[in-house]
Amino acid sequence: MDKKYKKNDEFIVTIDRLGDNGEGIAVVDGIVVFIPFALPGEEVLVHIINDKHSFLVGKVVEILKPSKDRVNPKCPYFKKCGGCELQHMPYDMQLKFKKNMVENSLKKYAKIETEVLDTVPSDKEFRYRNKFAFPVQDENGEVKIGMYQQNSHRIIQIEDCMLQSERAKLIVKLFKEFMEKEKLTAYNEQTKKGLIKHIVVREEKDAFILTVVVTDKKFNKFDSLISLLKTQFSEFGIIKNVNNLNNNVIFGNFDENIYGLENLKMNDFGVNYEINNRSFLQVNGYIKNLIYQKIIDTVGKQNNIIDAYSGAGLLSSILAKNANNVIGVEIIKNATENANKLKNVNNLHNLTNINGDCAKEIPRLSKELNGDFAVVVDPPRKGLDKAVVDAMLEAKPKQIVYLSCNPATLARDLSYLKEQYDIEFVQPWDMFPQTANVETLVSLRIKQ
């Protein structure tokens, strides 16, 4: 089809609906136009910035008729940095958008039409994150600490990210003072020179750990940073990490404890554990605990629970506090070793951690357990491997409780599972307010 419009054209459109990333969608002469930061019902002047074969991408030049729902974003960097997509929406609209996104994904990718419950809101719309990772870069001799501009590696200097805590803002400020005082260089991606590449902070209550990612293993000049942080904080740790490769990975393989805390002590549902900046843990503690409680309540008092993709074993350990027998299955050896440490620390004799492939272990375990088991699964964003789906269809667990961070891959997996399983509920959770991301918990029961 020959398109009437092309790159750099400008024209007026009315927004019909929202896309999966919260962008406005208009249709002009049969061609879909994606327009970030536009709301349904708005009339906008749009400038085309990308001309694809079957659609156009535009940016708003002017809002001619704004939606009554539009709100002024709190963040001065909104639309500049790639961290948030939805700050122009009121919070109740964000929650409805995420519910609709899950509904639409189920219909589109799985041909499933089922009730999707209302999105569970976060207790905080802003300042909910307990972790940040900010790149540190040299740009024409200027040190910049912040977030990447959307679809680029150009850093937006950020003095205060509204998703992070007030303390995070102060940590960044003091770190920049440290760099200026010591005349330390930031990494330059073009020249591949410079000392400091990233800073990563994990917080818990009154404590935090700051990891400084450097390119030179010999660098050890942290005394002034320690002194600066001590003027404001009493409980913290500093870790030096070395990454001298020119890649998109934040951490290198070498860590050294420079000062104070090496780990943060945590307790959830009676399970004692420790985390650091390498640990995976959800960034919104409030929603994390609500989801874990819902998983406990949903799986109930099953005789046997298999926690597939169990990682370092936190959820397995929590389940073991409430179930007769729990088996964690994880393919990464180091993660299984950490899960066993967690098991031993908490004296969980009813927990077994297996280092293996879920596709092979689930059918084997099904035979050992005589089919009397449920599966809890929290896979990465790409969803379940097809071999794991096939393994579950073969093994026929009584119940599958599936936590997903990607509605599209969730729907794909449910399209296979729906032949043998009934959906008991679909519940979205707002783990990431102001962004287009959503967590979804689904309970499936085998058909009788």
Side-chain angles (χ1 to χ4, degrees):
M1 178 191 296
D2 290 333
K3 294 197 294 289
K4 180 178 178 181
Y5 298 105
K6 58 185 183 301
K7 188 174 180 180
N8 293 324
D9 283 348
E10 292 188 357
F11 48 89
I12 295 171
V13 297
T14 299
I15 305 301
D16 296 323
R17 63 189 188 277
L18 293 174
D20 288 347
N21 295 310
E23 71 275 55
I25 294 179
V27 180
V28 181
D29 293 333
I31 297 295
V32 171
V33 187
F34 295 95
I35 308 163
F37 314 120
L39 295 177
E42 291 187 329
E43 188 175 283
V44 302
L45 176 62
V46 61
H47 178 97
I48 299 303
I49 59 174
N50 210 333
D51 181 356
K52 297 291 187 180
H53 175 69
S54 58
F55 63 90
L56 300 168
V57 179
K59 68 176 182 179
V60 174
V61 177
E62 183 181 357
I63 300 173
L64 304 174
K65 291 183 181 178
S67 166
K68 61 179 176 55
D69 294 317
R70 179 173 285 275
V71 297
N72 290 323
K74 288 188 176 184
C75 177
Y77 312 105
F78 183 62
K79 296 185 183 179
K80 297 177 184 177
C81 102
C84 298
E85 300 94 353
L86 307 183
Q87 279 197 39
H88 59 305
M89 292 185 197
Y91 191 51
D92 61 344
M93 186 176 180
Q94 294 183 31
L95 297 175
K96 290 175 184 175
F97 158 71
K98 294 182 182 188
K99 174 182 176 178
N100 291 337
M101 179 167 53
V102 175
E103 283 181 339
N104 293 337
S105 291
L106 292 179
K107 290 177 185 176
K108 180 178 178 180
Y109 301 111
K111 303 297 186 288
I112 292 173
E113 296 201 23
T114 188
E115 178 189 11
V116 174
L117 300 172
D118 290 341
T119 308
V120 177
S122 174
D123 62 334
K124 297 177 181 177
E125 297 175 30
F126 293 93
R127 303 206 182 281
Y128 58 85
R129 289 184 62 95
N130 57 39
K131 184 181 180 182
F132 71 80
F134 283 170
V136 182
Q137 281 191 9
D138 168 82
E139 191 172 293
N140 299 321
E142 179 186 359
V143 173
K144 288 193 172 183
I145 303 175
M147 295 278 287
Y148 290 120
Q149 189 174 2
Q150 199 163 24
N151 301 320
S152 82
H153 260 231
R154 180 176 175 271
I155 285 188
I156 302 296
Q157 173 73 38
I158 292 179
E159 306 297 336
D160 181 18
C161 173
M162 298 297 295
L163 304 189
Q164 309 295 341
S165 69
E166 293 280 358
R167 175 168 54 191
K169 173 174 65 174
L170 184 53
I171 293 170
V172 173
K173 178 177 179 291
L174 293 174
F175 189 83
K176 198 163 187 186
E177 287 181 20
F178 158 67
M179 287 191 67
E180 291 169 353
K181 181 176 181 181
E182 299 294 339
K183 296 181 171 55
L184 302 179
T185 57
Y187 187 71
N188 185 297
E189 289 188 344
Q190 280 69 48
T191 65
K192 301 177 177 54
K193 294 180 180 179
L195 176 67
I196 297 179
K197 297 181 79 171
H198 276 86
I199 55 172
V200 182
V201 169
R202 169 83 75 179
E203 304 177 60
E204 167 60 15
K205 296 180 180 176
D206 294 328
F208 68 88
I209 293 175
L210 164 63
T211 298
V212 183
V213 182
V214 299
T215 57
D216 184 359
K217 189 175 182 178
K218 295 179 181 178
F219 176 77
N220 210 31
K221 201 173 182 180
F222 289 96
D223 287 350
S224 60
L225 175 60
I226 295 167
S227 297
L228 281 169
L229 292 174
K230 277 185 173 180
T231 64
Q232 302 293 330
F233 310 110
S234 58
E235 196 173 358
F236 64 90
I238 297 175
I239 307 292
K240 178 179 75 175
N241 176 269
V242 180
N243 181 358
N244 50 23
L245 300 176
N246 187 42
N247 57 26
N248 292 327
V249 178
I250 293 176
F251 292 126
N253 294 326
F254 178 84
D255 285 312
E256 179 184 348
N257 178 243
I258 300 297
Y259 173 84
L261 302 174
E262 292 188 56
N263 297 287
L264 300 175
K265 296 184 184 300
M266 307 277 289
N267 182 289
D268 285 328
F269 301 93
V271 174
N272 294 307
Y273 63 104
E274 295 184 345
I275 60 168
N276 55 43
N277 287 336
R278 285 185 177 273
S279 308
F280 170 78
L281 189 71
Q282 287 88 348
V283 297
N284 186 329
Y286 173 81
I287 291 292
K288 174 202 72 179
N289 285 343
L290 287 185
I291 291 175
Y292 282 0
Q293 184 62 62
K294 184 66 174 179
I295 291 173
I296 293 168
D297 295 342
T298 299
V299 78
K301 287 291 183 182
Q302 296 275 359
N303 288 326
N304 303 289
I305 300 172
I306 296 175
D307 180 16
Y309 295 77
S310 56
L314 176 58
L315 181 55
S316 303
S317 296
I318 290 171
L319 290 169
K321 286 280 187 177
N322 298 273
N324 295 329
N325 179 43
V326 177
I327 303 168
V329 182
E330 170 58 49
I331 200 166
I332 299 173
K333 186 175 181 180
N334 180 255
T336 304
E337 290 171 353
N338 289 334
N340 278 325
K341 291 176 185 176
L342 187 61
K343 166 190 170 176
N344 294 334
V345 165
N346 288 277
N347 297 312
L348 297 172
H349 303 295
N350 60 332
L351 171 61
T352 303
N353 292 306
I354 295 174
N355 180 233
D357 184 347
C358 291
K360 297 177 181 178
E361 294 297 333
I362 290 175
R364 181 184 68 79
L365 290 168
S366 175
K367 293 174 183 176
E368 285 187 11
L369 302 171
N370 296 315
D372 182 16
F373 70 104
V375 169
V376 174
V377 60
D378 179 9
R381 192 164 179 79
K382 67 178 183 177
L384 298 174
D385 293 333
K386 183 59 166 58
V388 175
V389 175
D390 292 340
M392 288 202 283
L393 291 172
E394 176 190 342
K396 296 181 174 57
K398 293 179 177 180
Q399 183 183 21
I400 300 171
V401 180
Y402 187 152
L403 179 61
S404 167
C405 60
N406 185 338
T409 56
L410 169 66
R412 179 203 65 205
D413 295 340
L414 293 183
S415 72
Y416 301 122
L417 295 170
K418 69 180 182 180
E419 301 305 320
Q420 291 186 18
Y421 287 85
D422 291 320
I423 295 176
E424 293 187 306
F425 69 78
V426 180
Q427 176 74 76
W429 304 78
D430 196 17
M431 183 76 76
F432 310 99
Q434 314 308 323
T435 81
N437 297 306
V438 62
E439 296 277 315
T440 308
L441 187 68
V442 180
S443 177
L444 302 154
R445 187 78 60 171
I446 196 160
K447 292 180 178 180
Q448 298 300 317

